[in-house]
């Protein structure tokens, strides 16, 4: 298949006086590819020296290319990791770029639409059927007419999967390829006299938060990689550009079929916006963001050791954030701890007078501050009890506490000794840790149990069956 390359050319200035031509290419459907070339247009020797000095951007690796006038749109190249330079041509390795973003309010807009492209696909699909006919027609019947929609302070948002089509040639056969594109779209309130920069800041926040919650719902790391503006002016003769923000995303691969945590039918009628709202209102949303990110990454195709590490990190990230929130209820008051520590040190001092024990006492004294901190298993159990999470089904006859101890012992052996007795048991505990973390997060987000997808924990049942077969 042929690549669908998009190209952007822009004449402007770096450092406000060095004339350049910028050429950017990126593959329409591939978020991993962006190339940038910068060509010096001036011939003065002075320009050549300054051109070379500017190629790395500022201290953050950002390079701004401005137009001839102060109110012109500009291009911002972000996160320049390295560059190569030969005479008047330079190749820049960038992570993202912005074009056409301005602080000046949009002039005389009739409508402003913004589309956010998401990756990977396989999310936001409606239930239904699809009929493929020999004559090339495709009939789609959706079970749910409702859409995922919400209000925001600058307009209205919608989350859905749309389809685009491209013409290709497979050998000597013409073909039309259907491409699934999950998206967020926004209709902006034009009465608010907003600039594209103000819209951009708001939409990036929406895209970031909705992508995170979709990662939780669909058990894969969802990211946005492009924001497109469509500005329709009341003046049909006006020269209106279409601002764009594009960033490089390195995607992960996931199992071909994975039961989601929350199905589309429960994301409509305010479901997804409610989850996002509860996430934003959470006092531990930073810990939640880390936990959900690592949890989604643990679902990607990888070795079981890496997946186990990511799932444990996700669980501990949530529990540490929750314990910090409940800190006043669980911590040992400093006054009482000082008394306990003083008595412990006095006791150890008396023991150290015995010559055969003295060599070990100093080691124990160094460990004393750790006694004030809750153990990992106590943190997890406290979170389960405080949130009312039912988890006795996860480890079967072992029960929650005993099963957790075995899972954490496997973690210690794996992380500190690079030792795993049996990958089958490692996998089973990995699945249980994932499900436990999901239950904790959803309880904290006040998500009803009846709105969790009924088949979300089938991997636990399958893992238990596989282990039974293994032991027989």
């Amino acid at each position: 298949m042929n690549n669908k390359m998009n190209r952007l050319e822009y004449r402007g200035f770096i450092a406000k006086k060095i004339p350049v031509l910028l050429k950017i290419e990126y593959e329409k459907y591939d978020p991993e590819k962006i190339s940038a070339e910068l060509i010096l247009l001036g011939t003065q020797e002075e320009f050549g020296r300054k051109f070379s000095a500017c190629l790395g951007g500022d201290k953050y690796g950002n390079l701004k290319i401005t137009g001839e006038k102060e109110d012109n749109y500009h291009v911002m190249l972000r996160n320049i990791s390295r560059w190569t330079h030969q005479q008047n041509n330079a190749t820049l390795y960038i992570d993202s770029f912005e074009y056409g973003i301005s602080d000046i309010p949009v002039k005389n807009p009739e409508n402003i639409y913004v589309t956010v492209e998401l990756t990977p696909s396989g999310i936001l699909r409606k239930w239904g059927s699809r009929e493929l006919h020999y004559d090339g027609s495709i009939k789609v019947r959706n079970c749910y007419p409702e859409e995922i929609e919400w209000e925001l302070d600058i307009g209205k948002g919608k989350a859905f999967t749309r389809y685009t089509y491209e013409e290709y040639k497979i050998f000597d056969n013409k073909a039309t390829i259907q491409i699934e594109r999950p998206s967020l779209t926004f209709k902006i309130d034009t009465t608010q006299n907003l600039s594209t920069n103000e819209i951009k800041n708001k939409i990036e926040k929406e895209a970031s938060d909705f992508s995170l919650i979709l990662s939780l719902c669909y058990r894969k790391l969802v990211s946005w990689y492009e924001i497109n503006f469509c500005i329709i002016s009341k003046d049909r003769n006006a020269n209106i550009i279409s601002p764009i923000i594009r960033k490089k995303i390195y995607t992960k691969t996931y199992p071909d079929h994975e039961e989601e945590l929350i199905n589309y039918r429960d994301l409509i009628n305010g479901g997804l916006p409610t989850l996002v709202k509860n996430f934003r209102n959470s006092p531990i949303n930073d810990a939640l963001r880390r936990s959900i990110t690592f949890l989604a990454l643990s679902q990607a195709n990888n070795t079981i050791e890496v997946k186990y590490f990511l799932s444990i990190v996700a669980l501990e990230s949530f529990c540490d954030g929750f314990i910090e929130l409940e800190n006043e209820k669980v911590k040992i008051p400093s006054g009482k701890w000082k008394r306990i520590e003083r008595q412990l040190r006095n006791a150890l001092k008396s023991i150290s007078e015995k010559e055969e024990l003295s060599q070990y006492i100093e080691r124990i004294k160094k460990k004393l501050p750790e006694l004030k901190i809750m153990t990992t298993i106590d943190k997890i159990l406290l979170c389960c009890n405080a949130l009312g999470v039912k988890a006795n089904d996860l480890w079967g006859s072992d029960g929650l506490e005993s099963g957790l101890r075995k899972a954490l012992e496997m973690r210690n052996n794996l992380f500190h000794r690079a030792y795993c007795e049996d990958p089958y048991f490692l996998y089973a505990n990995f699945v249980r840790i994932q499900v436990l973390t999901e239950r904790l997060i959803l309880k904290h987000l006040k998500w009803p149990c009846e709105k969790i997808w009924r088949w979300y924990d089938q991997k636990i049942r399958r893992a238990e069956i596989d282990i039974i077969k293994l032991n027989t």
Side-chain angles (χ1 to χ4, degrees):
M1 293 184 183
N2 299 319
N3 288 336
K4 295 294 180 181
M5 298 301 297
N6 286 346
R7 294 173 176 84
L8 169 66
E9 291 191 1
Y10 181 81
R11 287 176 179 265
F13 300 86
I14 55 177
K16 296 185 177 180
K17 61 180 180 180
I18 304 172
V20 294
L21 171 64
L22 172 67
K23 294 183 178 182
I24 294 177
E25 285 191 349
Y26 55 96
E27 213 284 328
K28 184 176 180 180
Y29 302 111
D30 186 348
E32 297 185 353
K33 297 176 181 177
I34 302 177
S35 64
E37 182 183 4
L38 206 58
I39 302 170
L40 176 63
L41 299 179
T43 57
Q44 294 94 321
E45 184 179 343
E46 175 191 2
F47 282 167
R49 292 194 302 270
K50 291 184 176 180
F51 175 71
S52 178
C54 290
L55 293 177
D58 61 17
K59 62 181 180 180
Y60 303 107
N62 300 330
L63 181 61
K64 186 176 182 179
I65 304 170
T66 56
E68 292 183 355
K69 299 179 181 178
E70 287 294 326
D71 60 348
N72 274 13
Y73 298 104
H74 63 265
V75 178
M76 179 69 81
L77 306 179
R78 296 195 179 277
N79 301 321
I80 301 172
S81 56
R82 64 190 180 94
W83 52 271
T84 59
H85 178 221
Q86 186 174 10
Q87 296 181 344
N88 287 352
N89 288 49
T91 299
L92 307 181
Y93 297 84
I94 64 174
D95 281 344
S96 64
F97 71 88
E98 297 175 5
Y99 166 68
I101 303 299
S102 169
D103 290 321
I104 301 172
V106 179
K107 292 181 181 179
N108 207 25
E110 182 176 335
N111 287 299
I112 301 175
Y113 301 98
V114 182
T115 301
V116 180
E117 305 291 357
L118 305 177
T119 185
S121 64
I123 62 173
L124 295 171
R125 289 176 177 170
K126 290 184 176 182
W127 272 21
S129 63
R130 182 174 301 172
E131 297 177 3
L132 309 179
H133 292 262
Y134 71 92
D135 62 0
S137 63
I138 301 174
K139 293 181 180 179
V140 177
R141 294 183 175 88
N142 292 320
C143 294
Y144 304 115
E146 300 94 337
E147 301 286 353
I148 300 173
E149 298 176 315
W150 67 97
E151 301 280 342
L152 60 155
D153 55 7
I154 64 168
K156 296 181 179 180
K158 180 179 176 181
F160 69 111
T161 285
R162 74 188 198 282
Y163 296 88
T164 58
Y165 298 86
E166 298 288 352
E167 297 295 327
Y168 286 97
K169 201 169 186 180
I170 301 176
F171 190 55
D172 61 351
N173 303 295
K174 290 184 178 180
T176 301
I177 305 298
Q178 183 187 68
I179 301 158
E180 183 178 285
R181 307 195 76 187
S183 311
L184 306 178
T185 61
F186 300 89
K187 183 177 181 181
I188 306 302
D189 181 3
T190 57
T191 65
Q192 296 191 33
N193 200 32
L194 299 169
S195 69
T196 51
N197 190 46
E198 290 171 318
I199 296 171
K200 171 206 129 179
N201 292 336
K202 185 63 182 179
I203 296 303
E204 280 187 339
K205 174 65 175 172
E206 292 289 301
S208 174
D209 291 348
F210 274 82
S211 294
L212 183 78
I213 298 305
L214 287 171
S215 300
L216 174 67
C217 296
Y218 286 98
R219 293 173 155 174
K220 54 182 70 176
L221 188 62
V222 178
S223 304
W224 71 268
Y225 65 92
E226 186 173 297
I227 299 177
N228 271 299
F229 289 68
C230 177
I231 300 173
I232 301 173
S233 176
K234 292 178 181 177
D235 180 5
R236 299 307 184 196
N237 296 321
N239 184 20
I240 303 295
I241 69 165
S242 297
I244 182 173
I245 303 162
R246 177 89 177 199
K247 66 178 182 178
K248 192 182 293 184
I249 295 291
Y250 293 102
T251 58
K252 304 287 184 180
T253 58
Y254 292 86
D256 291 337
H257 178 73
E258 178 67 69
E259 298 290 349
E260 60 266 36
L261 179 61
I262 302 174
N263 187 263
Y264 182 91
R265 68 180 184 182
D266 293 309
L267 297 178
I268 57 178
N269 299 320
L272 180 60
T274 297
L275 265 176
V276 173
K277 178 183 176 181
N278 292 347
F279 162 72
R280 289 172 173 169
N281 292 337
S282 169
I284 61 166
N285 53 26
D286 284 341
L288 276 174
R289 188 176 294 278
R290 294 192 300 272
S291 181
I292 293 171
T293 299
F294 279 98
L295 186 64
L297 285 171
S298 74
Q299 303 280 3
N301 291 331
N302 218 320
T303 63
I304 185 57
E305 293 82 3
V306 171
K307 291 162 77 75
Y308 196 80
F309 166 77
L310 294 169
S311 66
I312 285 285
V313 169
L315 175 59
E316 292 195 44
S317 296
F318 174 85
C319 291
D320 284 344
F322 188 83
I323 294 298
E324 188 174 338
L325 178 65
E326 301 285 313
N327 192 34
E328 293 302 320
K329 299 178 183 178
V330 300
K331 75 174 183 179
I332 303 173
S334 57
K336 292 183 178 179
W337 170 249
K338 287 179 181 178
R339 288 170 54 193
I340 294 170
E341 186 179 20
R342 185 168 58 251
Q343 292 184 32
L344 285 172
R345 290 189 181 279
N346 289 337
L348 289 171
K349 185 177 180 181
S350 64
I351 296 173
S352 66
E353 293 173 358
K354 298 179 181 179
E355 188 175 344
E356 69 275 14
L357 299 177
S358 60
Q359 60 179 317
Y360 307 113
I361 298 303
E362 287 305 315
R363 245 189 286 169
I364 295 172
K365 285 181 180 179
K366 293 178 182 178
K367 288 281 186 179
L368 280 180
E370 296 180 20
L371 298 179
K372 188 179 179 180
I373 304 170
M374 292 183 70
T375 64
T376 299
I377 191 167
D378 285 339
K379 288 180 184 179
I380 299 171
L381 292 173
L382 186 147
C383 291
C384 290
N385 292 330
L387 291 168
V389 170
K390 296 179 181 179
N392 289 328
D393 61 317
L394 297 181
W395 276 274
S397 59
D398 280 342
L400 175 60
E401 185 170 352
S402 178
L404 267 175
R405 290 190 187 280
K406 291 179 180 179
L408 293 174
E409 184 180 354
M410 286 184 180
R411 175 203 65 176
N412 293 337
N413 286 333
L414 182 63
F415 296 177
H416 301 301
R417 297 173 54 203
Y419 171 73
C420 172
E421 183 177 357
D422 195 320
Y424 286 97
F425 291 106
L426 193 66
Y427 171 78
N429 279 300
F430 149 71
V431 172
R432 291 163 177 150
I433 292 294
Q434 278 185 323
V435 172
L436 177 59
T437 307
E438 290 170 339
R439 291 181 183 179
L440 287 166
I441 291 172
L442 291 181
K443 273 290 186 181
H444 177 72
L445 294 176
K446 299 180 176 60
W447 187 253
C449 293
E450 64 271 15
K451 289 190 176 182
I452 301 175
W453 181 230
R454 65 169 62 185
W455 308 114
Y456 85 102
D457 59 355
Q458 286 305 294
K459 285 197 298 185
I460 294 175
R461 318 303 166 209
R462 292 196 295 269
E464 288 178 349
I465 291 170
D466 290 342
I467 288 172
I468 290 171
K469 288 180 179 178
L470 186 69
N471 292 332
T472 56

